[in-house]
Amino acid sequence: MARGRYSVGDERRQHIVEAAAARFASEGYHRTAMTTIASDVGISEGGLLHHFRSKKHLLVAVAQERFESSARWWDALPDDVIGLATLQYMVDATRRYLAEPGLISLVVLVNAEAADPSSPAHEVYAGRYDIAVEGLGERLRAGIDRDGLDPDIDYDAVARECLAVSDGLQLQWVMSNGAIDIVAGVKAHIDRLGPALRRRGTT
């Protein structure tokens, strides 16, 4: 019986996150009231606070859902997406972000919040970076033999650099009200990075 209650609770929580993501993306985080989200889901504000004790906690859950969606997309890629091919898929990942522009603003907002170690966003973001760096680094290393990549390069450091470029461009996109072409920015970065990863004498 308890297992059934947990299942219902998890389903309700997911509906809340989806409703919040839609409202935050269309109307903005600061302009969206918790009562509005509760109404969208068909519960009281008290019922909403039972699942998320503050609006800030709900924001973090929305950001975490985006991270998990992105991770599922990467995990579903073919096994041969390794080495230099991995860099090309970073461009595709950026296009996916632009399909939900409102969520880019939200993630940038949570980025700033995560700098505070006491914030609920801090642990979420720390875990996100660890997982993303590990996964991207592994894909790059797997292409050493196939693509002639330099085996002495620290590919985890390269992965961190790629994430920093992506996150930095998203911040600039928000600050410029969408004027920055983040897809072109990521592509320019990987076009420079690819040749630098090859062993000398490899073309």
Side-chain angles (χ1 to χ4, degrees), residues 2-200:
R3 184 175 302 174
R5 287 200 297 270
Y6 287 134
S7 177
V8 170
D10 290 342
E11 184 177 354
R12 176 61 57 80
R13 183 183 175 90
Q14 182 61 31
H15 287 165
I16 293 171
V17 170
E18 291 171 357
R23 285 289 182 179
F24 291 164
S26 64
E27 300 178 10
Y29 171 73
H30 294 293
R31 291 191 297 273
T32 300
M34 292 286 272
T35 52
T36 301
I37 298 170
S39 178
D40 289 343
V41 183
I43 60 176
S44 66
E45 184 175 4
L48 175 59
L49 292 174
H50 171 74
H51 294 280
F52 298 97
R53 63 177 183 267
S54 72
K55 189 178 178 182
K56 188 176 295 185
H57 283 81
L58 181 52
L59 173 63
V60 173
V62 170
Q64 185 170 16
E65 174 60 29
R66 184 202 173 190
F67 298 154
E68 292 174 354
S69 174
S70 180
R72 289 191 294 270
W73 181 81
W74 278 101
D75 289 343
L77 293 180
D79 291 340
D80 63 352
V81 179
I82 57 175
L84 297 179
T86 307
L87 300 180
Q88 296 300 324
Y89 273 85
M90 289 188 64
V91 179
D92 292 340
T94 305
R95 291 194 181 99
R96 290 185 72 248
Y97 298 157
L98 279 176
E100 299 179 295
L103 293 185
I104 294 179
S105 301
L106 290 179
V107 171
V108 168
L109 179 63
V110 183
N111 259 330
E113 177 67 25
D116 179 2
S118 66
S119 166
H122 184 79
E123 183 177 352
V124 169
Y125 264 64
R128 171 247 176 168
Y129 276 109
D130 288 343
I131 292 171
V133 166
E134 180 181 2
L136 185 55
E138 285 181 356
R139 284 186 179 272
L140 290 170
R141 278 189 294 273
I144 287 176
D145 292 334
R146 188 188 71 180
D147 296 337
L149 303 186
D150 188 340
D152 295 327
I153 289 177
D154 183 345
Y155 286 99
D156 285 347
V158 173
R160 288 191 183 278
E161 175 187 323
C162 291
L163 290 173
V165 169
S166 177
D167 287 355
L169 285 170
Q170 289 180 67
L171 171 60
Q172 292 181 54
W173 183 89
V174 171
M175 298 296 290
S176 69
N177 293 317
I180 299 295
D181 188 341
I182 61 176
V183 173
V186 170
K187 186 177 187 306
H189 172 69
I190 67 165
D191 285 348
R192 291 189 297 270
L193 179 61
L197 298 180
R198 292 182 181 273
R199 290 190 294 267
R200 289 185 179 181

